[in-house]
């Protein structure tokens, strides 16, 4: 009865917030009011699951054009964003791994290394995920790690909906986000800061300089997140009971079929291409300039996924590693979910709402530096929870550089915490691709992600503020004199 009551209350409150923001006089520009109304409706319905969250994700496609915030074509284009197809490619490869038992074999391999210690297994997964995310796409890393985690939960007779399953799956998503902060190439906001530093300030921001910024945050935040997840959810599982049984099963397992071998090739290919992609532009290979310019993570994922439908395993019987019927278990609703978040974020910027929020920052040169850092981090991080963190960084960093210049402080005092805060997103599936992917597994509840994510979000704000003030600020000499 309680979930039904929560759904009904959320439904009414969401509609009421939408109507009030649409008609109540506030002195705001009409476009900003309309955008805030759509944002409130979507946020409340997502949070309370008043209707299916996938159906809620289609609201921006309808309301943004109807209210004149975005042209129809531009709103719908967000649902075909390149990241959507990266998701799709990752989901298809993950489905092939499940079909041929690759995920189960990898689960056995990992369990063999960490034994039956359930707590250490989560730390192992989070550490490996964070390391990979520091160099390749957070989305790609999560897409690779999720099916392996699900296989371990299944193989060891643990329910993914259990507290332990929640800890493991959220741990993977959060570790991917945290790991991406560590290096300059780990996530787009970091690169944007370096670009704006060069173009607006004439100062080069090198890979190793960013390590002074991002690595301390990742090193502190990762074990803290692991501890926080364990303490918050209190899983009763201390040992992976199925580890010994899996060992026996490994001995009796039949040789891997040709379809499984092709799947491994596709998996390794996509991982290698994702990992090596940043270095391609440096290779002076004649005749491939066009490919280098267009071959991104999404294209890699789709290309490798398509090979599983194209390369036959048995010519005589005309069999392939995957057929389209195998995709029925893929959560296509997750693609709409992320598309809705992108459309909403686009509307925030097109209407001037995001700029209004940024311009409303209560900053003054009389403020203590730690207060400036805290204010910027709060605004940038919560804005990134409902809009693309790349878009938020793209908008906020140049504005903050201008604000800092106007009030007489170092631009890095505001730009660095804003950039870090754009990756401090843990609350919603639409906040960042890793969240969307683990939620798309169907094994997590929205309420678990929101409750856990909000508290972790606030912990991240505290960690970020202290580190920027105590370490990064002194290294970059950003404090007012």
């Amino acid at each position: 009865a309680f979930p039904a009551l929560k759904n009904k209350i959320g439904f009414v409150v969401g509609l009421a917030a939408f109507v009030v923001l649409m008609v109540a006089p506030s002195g705001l520009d009409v476009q900003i009011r309309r955008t805030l109304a759509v944002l409130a409706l979507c946020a409340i319905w997502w949070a309370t699951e008043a209707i299916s969250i996938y159906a809620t994700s289609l609201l921006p496609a309808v309301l943004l054009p109807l209210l004149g915030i975005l042209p129809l074509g531009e709103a719908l284009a967000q649902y075909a964003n390149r990241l959507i197809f990266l998701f799709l490619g990752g989901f298809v490869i993950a489905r092939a791994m499940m079909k041929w038992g690759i995920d189960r074999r990898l689960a056995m391999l990992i369990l063999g290394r960490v034994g039956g210690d359930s707590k250490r297994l989560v730390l192992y997964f989070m550490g490996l995920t964070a390391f990979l995310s520091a160099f390749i796409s957070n989305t790609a890393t999560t897409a690779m790690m999720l099916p392996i985690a699900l296989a371990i939960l299944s193989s060891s007779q643990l329910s993914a909906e259990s507290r332990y399953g929640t800890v493991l799956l959220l741990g993977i998503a959060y570790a991917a986000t945290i790991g991406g902060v560590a290096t300059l190439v780990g996530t787009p906001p970091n690169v944007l800061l370096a670009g704006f530093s060069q173009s607006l300030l004439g100062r080069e921001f090198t890979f190793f300089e960013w390590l002074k910024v991002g690595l301390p945050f990742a090193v502190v935040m990762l074990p803290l997140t692991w501890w926080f997840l364990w303490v918050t959810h209190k899983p009763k599982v201390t040992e992976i009971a199925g580890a010994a049984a899996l060992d026996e099963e490994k001995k009796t397992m039949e040789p891997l079929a040709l379809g499984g071998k092709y799947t491994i090739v596709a998996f390794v290919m996509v991982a290698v291409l994702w990992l090596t992609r940043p270095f391609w532009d440096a290779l002076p290979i004649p005749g491939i300039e066009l490919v280098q310019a267009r071959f991104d993570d999404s294209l890699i994922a789709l290309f490798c996924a398509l090979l599983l439908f194209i390369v036959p395993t048995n010519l005589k019987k005309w069999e392939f590693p995957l057929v389209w019927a195998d995709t029925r278990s893929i959560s296509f609703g997750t693609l709409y979910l992320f598309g809705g978040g992108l459309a909403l974020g686009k509307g925030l910027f097109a209407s001037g709402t995001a700029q209004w929020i940024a311009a409303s920052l209560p900053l003054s040169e009389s403020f203590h530096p730690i207060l400036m850092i805290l204010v910027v981090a709060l605004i940038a991080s919560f804005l990134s929870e409902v809009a693309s963190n790349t878009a938020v960084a793209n908008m906020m960093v140049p504005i903050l550089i201008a604000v800092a210049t106007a009030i007489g402080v170092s631009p890095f005092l505001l730009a660095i915490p804003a950039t870090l805060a754009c990756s401090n997103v843990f609350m919603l599936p639409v906040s960042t691709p890793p969240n969307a992917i683990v939620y798309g597994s169907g094994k997590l509840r929205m309420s678990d992600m929101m409750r856990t994510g909000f508290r972790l979000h606030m912990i991240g704000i505290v960690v970020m503020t202290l580190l920027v003030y105590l370490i990064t600020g002194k290294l970059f000499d950003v404090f007012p004199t």
Side-chain angles (χ1 to χ4, degrees), residues 154-165:
S154 173
S155 300
S156 53
Q157 293 86 49
L158 288 171
S159 168
E161 292 88 345
S162 68
R163 292 179 183 178
Y164 185 75

Side-chain angles (χ1 to χ4, degrees), residues 129 131-141 144 176 180 183 185-187 270-278 297:
T129 301
F131 175 77
L132 291 173
S133 289
F135 300 98
I136 65 175
S137 158
N138 302 348
T139 309
T141 301
M144 285 191 290
T183 67
V185 298
T187 188
V270 78
V272 169
L273 291 175
W274 274 334
L275 185 61
T276 58
R277 186 186 151 230
D297 289 348

Side-chain angles (χ1 to χ4, degrees), residues 93-141:
I93 293 172
R95 179 67 190 91
M97 291 175 67
M98 294 174 68
K99 176 180 178 178
W100 295 102
I102 309 300
D103 54 346
R104 192 173 180 82
R105 292 170 188 266
L106 286 171
M108 291 177 185
L109 180 65
I110 291 174
L111 280 174
R113 289 182 176 274
V114 301
D117 189 331
S118 60
K119 201 170 184 179
R120 191 152 59 96
L121 178 66
V122 176
L123 183 61
Y124 180 94
F125 260 94
M126 291 181 67
L128 181 57
T129 301
F131 175 77
L132 291 173
S133 289
F135 300 98
I136 65 175
S137 158
N138 302 348
T139 309
T141 301

